[in-house]
């Protein structure tokens, strides 16, 4: 099994790259943002609860996220692995993910940290906001989301650095160039792992 986390601020390209990674490595793309937006669209109870947080650019409470994640992960438990997009976002979520995976003796293998300048993030999200249906792609909410990232999510970089899993990727280049860098990093990891397992 191969479990990858794609990590980075709003607008860094997590969703764009996750789709490509999932296709190339035959992984399940698990985006908590997409799962939540789907709940809102379907008008479920959870959807009604989370809409407020999304529209404010705030994080949705951990217990709701873990429930969504658990349901989706269980559906695909026999898959070749997952690409986690937009999750974990807090230390509590990261610890819960480790516990959930430990039970099955399957670790998070690598964490791709996509680095993009703040001006570029804002430009991309405002650009997308012109025709996206996302209620949080408005300038004031975009700033809020970036601040929430800095305060609550950025500390995870040290969490995964300590675990020796963090790989930083320059996300400022074109989509295909960023993808190429990601593939080089993932392929190197897979080949090292194969050598270690054969020893
Ligand atoms: P979520 O859906 O995860 O949104 P986000 O992290 O704020 O980031 P985005 O999805 O906007 O950006 P992205 O990094 O995926 O970039 P993308 O590929 O789209 O979360 C939304 C909300 O849900 C949160 O605010 C929170 O309320 C809640 N939530 C979700 N998960 C949660 C969790 N775990 N815990 C608590 N709450 C949670 O690209 C952005 C744009 O840039 C696109 O237009 C794209 O075409 C373009 N682009 C991409 N790459 C490039 C490139 N290399 N060059 C130029 N343009 C590019
Ligand atoms: Mg996304």
């Amino acid at each position: 099994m191969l479990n990858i986390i794609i990590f980075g601020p709003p607008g860094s390209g997590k969703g764009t790259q996750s789709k490509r990674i999932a296709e190339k490595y035959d992984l399940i793309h698990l985006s908590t943002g997409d799962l939540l937006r789907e709940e809102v669209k379907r008008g479920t109870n959870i959807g009604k609860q989370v809409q407020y947080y999304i529209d404010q650019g705030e994080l949705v409470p951990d217990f709701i996220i873990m429930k969504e994640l658990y349901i989706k992960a269980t559906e695909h438990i026999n898959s070749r692995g997952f690409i986690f997009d937009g999750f974990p976002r807090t230390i509590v979520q990261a610890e819960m993910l480790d516990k959930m995976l430990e039970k099955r003796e399957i670790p998070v293998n690598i964490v791709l940290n996509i680095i993009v300048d703040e001006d570029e993030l804002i430009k991309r999200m405002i650009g997308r906001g012109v025709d996206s249906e996302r209620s949080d792609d408005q300038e004031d909410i975009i700033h809020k989301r970036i601040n929430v990232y800095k305060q609550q999510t950025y500390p995870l970089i040290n969490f995964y650095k300590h675990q020796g899993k963090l790989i930083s990727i320059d996300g400022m280049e074109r989509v295909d160039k960023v993808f190429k860098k990601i593939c080089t990093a993932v392929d190197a990891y897979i080949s090292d792992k194969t050598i270690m397992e054969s020893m």
Side-chain angles (χ1 to χ4, degrees):
M1 217 178 181
L2 179 65
N3 288 312
I4 300 176
I5 291 173
I6 190 157
F7 184 86
S12 54
K14 301 184 295 296
T16 306
Q17 298 298 336
S18 291
K19 284 194 195 95
R20 292 171 173 232
I21 297 167
E23 200 181 336
K24 172 154 181 177
Y25 297 98
D26 194 16
L27 305 177
I28 302 294
H29 177 195
L30 207 161
S31 156
T32 42
D34 288 350
L35 290 175
L36 296 172
R37 280 185 289 276
E38 192 54 37
E39 297 278 3
V40 173
K41 209 166 151 189
R42 292 193 352 247
T44 62
N45 269 338
I46 287 185
K48 283 173 194 147
Q49 287 176 61
V50 302
Q51 179 145 36
Y52 168 83
Y53 296 98
I54 294 177
D55 289 352
Q56 297 294 314
E58 298 273 3
L59 293 186
V60 169
D62 290 332
F63 76 94
I64 296 181
I65 298 294
M66 292 314 294
K67 193 174 165 204
E68 287 290 304
L69 184 94
Y70 185 79
I71 293 169
K72 181 84 176 176
T74 310
E75 259 174 43
H76 296 282
I77 204 64
N78 293 321
S79 69
R80 295 195 57 188
F82 292 92
I83 169 100
F84 295 101
D85 161 11
F87 173 89
R89 254 174 156 96
T90 60
I91 300 277
V92 172
Q93 289 180 14
E95 287 172 346
M96 289 203 266
L97 177 66
D98 278 353
K99 271 197 197 129
M100 197 172 112
L101 294 175
E102 258 165 35
K103 271 194 203 153
R104 301 178 198 276
E105 293 179 11
I106 42 170
V108 167
N109 300 98
I110 39 182
V111 179
L112 300 166
N113 176 30
I114 313 293
I115 300 171
V116 175
D117 294 348
E118 194 164 323
D119 290 350
E120 172 70 12
L121 297 173
I122 295 167
K123 199 176 97 191
R124 286 184 192 177
M125 285 185 281
I126 289 179
R128 183 178 57 187
V130 172
D131 56 4
S132 87
E133 288 175 2
R134 281 185 55 162
S135 53
D136 56 352
D137 273 345
Q138 300 167 33
E139 199 164 347
D140 51 337
I141 309 295
I142 289 170
H143 286 286
K144 180 76 184 290
R145 285 158 62 199
I146 292 175
N147 282 334
V148 166
Y149 167 81
K150 286 181 189 165
Q151 283 163 19
Q152 300 187 53
T153 307
Y154 185 81
L156 280 175
I157 289 191
N158 269 337
F159 181 91
Y160 286 116
K161 219 184 244 172
H162 281 133
Q163 292 191 357
K165 291 176 179 166
L166 198 76
I167 299 173
S168 289
I169 304 279
D170 175 7
M172 289 291 286
E173 292 187 273
R174 286 200 331 254
V175 171
D176 53 344
K177 283 204 167 175
V178 176
F179 183 58
K180 214 168 159 195
K181 283 183 195 164
I182 289 176
C183 293
T184 305
V186 174
D187 291 344
Y189 172 84
I190 293 172
S191 117
D192 284 356
K193 192 168 167 263
T194 312
I195 293 168
M196 293 293 279
E197 283 169 357
S198 66
M199 280 164 78

